[in-house]
Amino acid sequence: MGTEEYRLIEKDYITVIAGPCAIESEDQLDSIAKIVKESGLNFLRGGAYKPRSSPYTFQGLEEKGLRLLGKIGKKYGLKTVTEVTDADTVEKVAEYADILQIGTRNMSNFALLKKVSKVIHPSGRKVILKRGWASTIKEWLLAVEYLTAGGKNAEVVLCERGIRTFEPYTRFTLDLSAVPVIKKLSKLPIIIDPSHATGQSDLVIPMSRAAIAVGADGLIVEVHNKPEKALCDGQQSLNKAQLEEMIKQVRFIADFFGKKIK
Ligand code: PEP
Ligand code: MN
């Protein structure tokens, strides 16, 4: 694919990216993409390379997952988001996906950031840079500069996904104050990941409402056709009805800002 005309984040819209934690099979991704499309959304997420905290859990379908993401994204006319986990596979990921995600565990992997910078500028790929769970806002903004070092044209979007605190009840602590702080310190767009932040599907809707109320430009949420059967992060994944409910509620808050959901 050549340079793309679309923007992930647009002034009059709240962007909602949805999809499974991990791509598990063609059937699974197809069913979830259908849910995402039928909900009126345009961006499909799905992990092919999974940087799991435990080496004993599902590590992702890797290249096969990338091929499925490319195929299903085209089938439903959805732009695709997937994580890049190491410098050696950046080109391969950019071959199949429209938007490259840098995960929390890699925000300070400067070799990876430099490689991503080299690939996004000629290819027109976009990047979502998640905040390291123990990184300050200043460190996060400096990490962005590795990505923009090759030129200022690539679209770089920040994602707050929760930081480590002493509170174990939620998986992480969602730092919603990062949104107005980022808006004060930079012109960068910022989205919220309420799925990884809370780790619990019933907390995703209230935190999504709050994210939009505080001024976030969008959301990235985990959705599964059968959350109870998911190979990864099922406990925090929304099903079809929950995704629809989330969009309905978030639309009320977006209305306040005169924004539509896309
Ligand atoms: C993900 O979005 O699939 C993911 C692993 O998120 P994080 O890097 O925020 O843990
Ligand atoms: Mn996940």
Side-chain angles (χ1 to χ4, degrees):
M1 261 202 287
T3 303
E4 298 282 345
E5 293 301 323
Y6 75 98
R7 304 283 298 173
L8 177 54
I9 304 298
E10 293 176 278
K11 187 165 69 61
D12 297 329
Y13 291 89
I14 295 295
T15 301
V16 180
I17 303 164
C21 179
I23 298 161
E24 300 169 16
S25 66
E26 181 157 357
D27 276 359
Q28 174 246 20
L29 191 62
D30 192 291
S31 307
I32 298 170
K34 190 161 180 284
I35 292 173
V36 172
K37 187 73 184 180
E38 286 174 358
S39 302
L41 304 179
N42 301 286
F43 296 93
L44 176 68
R45 63 151 287 151
Y49 297 90
K50 293 305 302 174
R52 306 298 300 281
S53 293
S54 164
Y56 308 111
T57 54
F58 179 56
Q59 302 288 307
L61 296 181
E62 304 190 337
E63 200 172 333
K64 182 179 172 212
L66 290 179
R67 282 197 295 273
L68 290 175
L69 186 64
K71 180 176 172 187
I72 302 289
K74 278 204 188 74
K75 176 174 171 188
Y76 288 94
L78 297 166
K79 297 283 184 205
T80 54
V81 180
T82 199
E83 183 166 350
V84 273
T85 53
D86 73 84
D88 292 343
T89 51
V90 176
E91 278 113 345
K92 182 131 300 278
V93 172
E95 203 180 309
Y96 293 99
D98 301 300
I99 300 138
L100 311 186
Q101 176 178 315
I102 296 166
T104 192
R105 295 163 184 79
N106 275 310
M107 190 206 86
S108 306
N109 179 344
F110 303 120
L112 176 64
L113 299 182
K114 284 179 189 168
K115 184 64 180 290
V116 168
S117 177
K118 280 211 181 84
V119 171
I120 52 176
H121 294 288
S123 69
R125 294 291 180 274
K126 298 156 190 323
V127 192
I128 295 174
L129 178 65
K130 288 195 160 193
R131 180 180 181 179
W133 68 50
S135 298
T136 64
I137 290 173
K138 195 167 167 201
E139 287 162 343
W140 194 12
L141 288 173
L142 283 169
V144 171
E145 306 217 357
Y146 279 95
L147 296 171
T148 51
K152 297 278 177 209
N153 294 333
E155 190 179 357
V156 178
V157 176
L158 297 177
C159 177
E160 161 63 41
R161 47 78 68 212
I163 53 176
R164 270 271 153 82
T165 68
F166 54 82
E167 176 55 67
Y169 188 84
T170 48
R171 192 171 177 188
F172 293 90
T173 296
L174 184 56
D175 180 13
L176 284 178
S177 62
V179 175
V181 173
I182 289 293
K183 297 282 173 198
K184 189 157 78 176
L185 298 180
S186 78
K187 290 191 163 51
L188 292 161
I190 175 168
I191 63 173
I192 295 290
D193 177 344
S195 309
H196 290 92
T198 63
Q200 298 167 50
S201 58
D202 62 334
L203 300 182
V204 169
I205 294 180
M207 296 319 282
S208 297
R209 289 197 308 263
I212 302 312
V214 82
D217 301 291
L219 299 163
I220 181 166
V221 291
E222 288 186 337
V223 170
H224 203 283
N225 56 328
K226 294 179 189 144
E228 64 292 347
K229 297 250 164 70
L231 294 184
C232 181
D233 287 351
Q235 78 292 342
Q236 65 196 32
S237 299
L238 303 180
N239 60 26
K240 185 177 200 286
Q242 290 166 324
L243 176 67
E244 283 166 359
E245 181 61 25
M246 188 205 85
I247 293 168
K248 189 174 127 196
Q249 294 194 22
V250 162
R251 188 170 284 129
F252 276 103
I253 317 281
D255 267 354
F256 173 80
F257 295 103
K259 293 187 178 190
K260 292 187 167 50
I261 309 287
K262 71 161 192 181

